[in-house]
Amino acid sequence: MKAQNVTVIGLQWGDEGKGKIVDAVARTCRYVVRYCGGANAGHTVNVGSQRYAMHLIPCGILYPGVHNVVGNGVVFDPTVAWEEVEALRGRGVKVGPENLHVSSAANVVMPWHKLADRLSEVALGKGKIGTTARGIGPCYADKAARSTAVRVGDLLDGDGLREKVAAIAARKNAVLSALYEAEPVDAEVVWREYAEYGRRFAPMVANTPALLRRALAAGEKICFEGGQGSMLDIDHGTFPYVTSSAVTACGVPHGAGVPPSAVGRVVGVVKAYTSRVGAGPFPTEQDNAIGDHIRDRGKEYGTTTGRPRRCGWLDAVALRYAADLSGVDEIALVLLDVLSGFQTVRICTDYKTDGKSVDEFDPTAAALRRVESVYEELPGWSEEIVSATDYGELPATARAYVDRVEFLTGRPVGIISVGPEREQTIFHNTQLEGLA
Ligand code: IMP
């Protein structure tokens, strides 16, 4: 029987711990593919005493024999990617054309994108989005604009790249100096630097959509590794406080160049609570001692930016929406251990606007700002659960919490994570092949 592909996505506002789940799935796959976002992501995998934080390189890189693909839908910052390649090699991980493939059609994050991201946020002041300053939005904007875009394939184009960079830099310098009085970037310096990255990555640059379609035809198993979280999706998230790419499972076919049937089983990664970094509405936020406690226990500080994350209770209304949007088959409930020690825990089960239940979830910031969260309260658990290896070893109240998540989302909880290590994983109701 043909192996079923797996798509791993975040169902909240990012930082759900997708890295650990992709790592578990990658073990059973031949390909791991990033299809959205860029170096704004920070996917962490713990292997024994080693901690790997990946931004652009797919998490499958830690397994020999797994092909890792940076898809066409990713915005590729070669400066960050090269640093990652070197850091991995320095730790004995093999990275090269045999296991890393970068789409020639992926758009390149250029220096002016990072500059524009930073300066725009400063200019927006209180109205800022709270981006990761990685140049993500400006790069996707240029992708849509087309004439000011640089693709990975262009980096290999010698004099063609020189001309392109000169023309684009002239336009960017004019705009950035007029808007923000920015110092001009030197096109020749940029060309030399990026041509050098082109040389370094050249053996790994490929027509990855074609590569993946060949893999599909050969029946190879693929894991699609989502970035960010569904509530940050450009079309379906809390606009305008979102990232600039299609991060849900709906983004897979487009961002990887595969047919929708390739998506396979969709795993929605969910924290046992909610966190958000950056600005924007957050209905279950606890800007109080509860939120502080969750942040401390969950070490809720950004992998990419180090920013403290906003924390709050689980929001089953937003979860149902995100799960329906991507056709989630099962949930991976992570960081359940962080909730130990609360006498009672809460889950938001409904929203009200002007005293009336909200029938249809509207993710836009303007609508979400108006909602009031309705909670149900459940008994908490005082025990530490970090060494539980089986569902039956969890305290009855923690099991009741998991059951409630299943009921409220209408999805089985396939995997429960009780700590950062590979071993701290309970395979519960999972239908993923080769894991339980
Ligand atoms: P950008 O993607 O850097 O443009 O940031 C836009 C919004 O998405 C900001 O609120 C960021 O904090 C958020 N964001 C982007 N990437 C991630 C992520 O990987 N985890 C959590 N939040 C993210």
Side-chain angles (χ1 to χ4, degrees):
M1 209 179 68
K2 206 175 137 200
Q4 191 183 30
N5 295 337
V6 181
T7 291
V8 179
I9 56 163
L11 292 190
Q12 296 159 311
W13 275 278
D15 309 316
E16 292 94 349
K18 294 175 288 295
K20 174 172 168 170
I21 304 301
V22 172
D23 175 64
V25 174
R27 188 164 52 80
T28 68
C29 295
R30 278 286 281 164
Y31 287 79
V32 177
V33 183
R34 281 279 307 270
Y35 62 90
C36 68
N40 49 351
H43 294 177
T44 309
V45 179
N46 286 281
V47 187
S49 61
Q50 300 284 315
R51 182 175 184 274
Y52 299 89
M54 252 79 80
H55 297 287
L56 272 163
I57 309 289
C59 288
I61 202 77
L62 301 176
Y63 290 104
V66 171
H67 292 275
N68 293 272
V69 174
V70 177
N72 55 279
V74 171
V75 285
F76 185 72
D77 184 337
T79 68
V80 177
W82 191 254
E83 236 176 70
E84 266 185 85
V85 168
E86 297 235 285
L88 284 164
R89 285 176 176 166
R91 295 167 77 179
V93 180
K94 230 172 136 190
V95 188
E98 65 287 351
N99 66 346
L100 179 64
H101 316 282
V102 181
S103 171
S104 54
N107 277 250
V108 179
V109 177
M110 300 297 290
W112 43 81
H113 293 139
K114 290 183 264 195
L115 193 61
D117 200 354
R118 274 200 309 276
L119 294 173
S120 155
E121 286 283 276
V122 173
L124 284 169
K126 275 195 171 156
K128 72 179 180 183
I129 292 168
T131 72
T132 58
R134 295 295 193 266
I136 304 296
C139 185
Y140 278 114
D142 274 338
K143 174 179 177 175
R146 293 152 295 167
S147 53
T148 42
V150 178
R151 288 173 140 200
V152 167
D154 295 327
L155 299 182
L156 317 184
D157 191 22
D159 283 344
L161 177 69
R162 188 180 207 168
E163 272 169 39
K164 198 177 242 291
V165 167
I168 298 173
R171 287 170 68 173
K172 295 293 173 187
N173 283 338
V175 172
L176 293 176
S177 73
L179 279 179
Y180 311 115
E181 293 173 7
E183 287 290 315
V185 296
D186 184 328
E188 277 293 296
V189 172
V190 173
W191 166 65
R192 257 184 242 116
E193 187 186 348
Y194 282 71
E196 173 56 26
Y197 282 119
R199 273 188 287 279
R200 290 178 192 174
F201 279 106
M204 300 168 228
V205 174
N207 178 348
T208 60
L211 179 82
L212 290 174
R213 291 193 297 271
R214 276 200 302 277
L216 286 171
E220 304 278 23
K221 184 172 175 184
I222 303 176
C223 172
F224 297 100
E225 176 179 356
Q228 293 75 52
S230 301
M231 303 307 289
L232 290 170
D233 184 83
I234 180 75
D235 282 274
H236 305 291
T238 52
F239 195 88
Y241 300 100
V242 293
T243 189
S244 303
S245 65
V247 306
T248 72
C250 312
V252 168
H254 203 71
V258 294
S261 55
V263 166
R265 193 164 177 85
V266 182
V267 180
V269 187
V270 174
K271 277 181 181 175
Y273 48 92
T274 313
S275 74
R276 169 162 209 175
V277 62
F282 178 178
T284 61
E285 180 169 17
Q286 299 297 305
D287 190 10
N288 53 32
I290 294 169
D292 293 346
H293 184 72
I294 295 175
R295 185 178 312 105
D296 283 351
R297 277 191 61 91
K299 301 187 188 65
E300 290 292 352
Y301 298 88
T303 321
T304 301
T305 59
R307 292 181 291 178
R309 297 177 185 143
R310 300 155 64 193
C311 296
W313 296 119
L314 193 69
D315 183 343
V317 182
L319 278 187
R320 268 196 302 271
Y321 163 74
D324 287 348
L325 189 61
S326 285
V328 164
D329 294 300
E330 64 178 82
I331 283 176
L333 187 66
V334 305
L335 290 148
L336 186 63
D337 51 302
V338 171
L339 289 188
S340 287
F342 281 108
Q343 220 160 29
T344 55
V345 287
R346 290 176 150 206
I347 303 181
C348 168
T349 54
D350 199 5
Y351 288 165
K352 281 194 168 165
T353 304
D354 302 328
K356 286 200 206 88
S357 255
V358 175
D359 286 338
E360 205 156 83
F361 184 86
D362 179 349
T364 52
L368 269 197
R369 270 211 194 89
R370 297 180 56 222
V371 306
E372 192 192 316
S373 300
V374 179
Y375 292 101
E376 70 176 32
E377 200 161 71
L378 291 95
W381 55 95
S382 53
E383 302 89 328
E384 289 295 349
I385 57 172
V386 288
S387 33
T389 52
D390 187 84
Y391 185 63
E393 287 174 26
L394 293 174
T397 46
R399 291 201 305 264
Y401 188 81
V402 175
D403 293 350
R404 206 62 199 141
V405 173
E406 291 197 327
F407 178 80
L408 290 168
T409 58
R411 262 87 185 169
V413 170
I415 300 173
I416 301 165
S417 171
V418 292
E421 306 302 328
R422 279 177 173 166
E423 303 70 43
Q424 292 174 298
T425 311
I426 298 170
F427 296 105
H428 178 42
N429 283 327
T430 189
Q431 297 293 313
L432 291 170
E433 294 156 358
L435 287 200

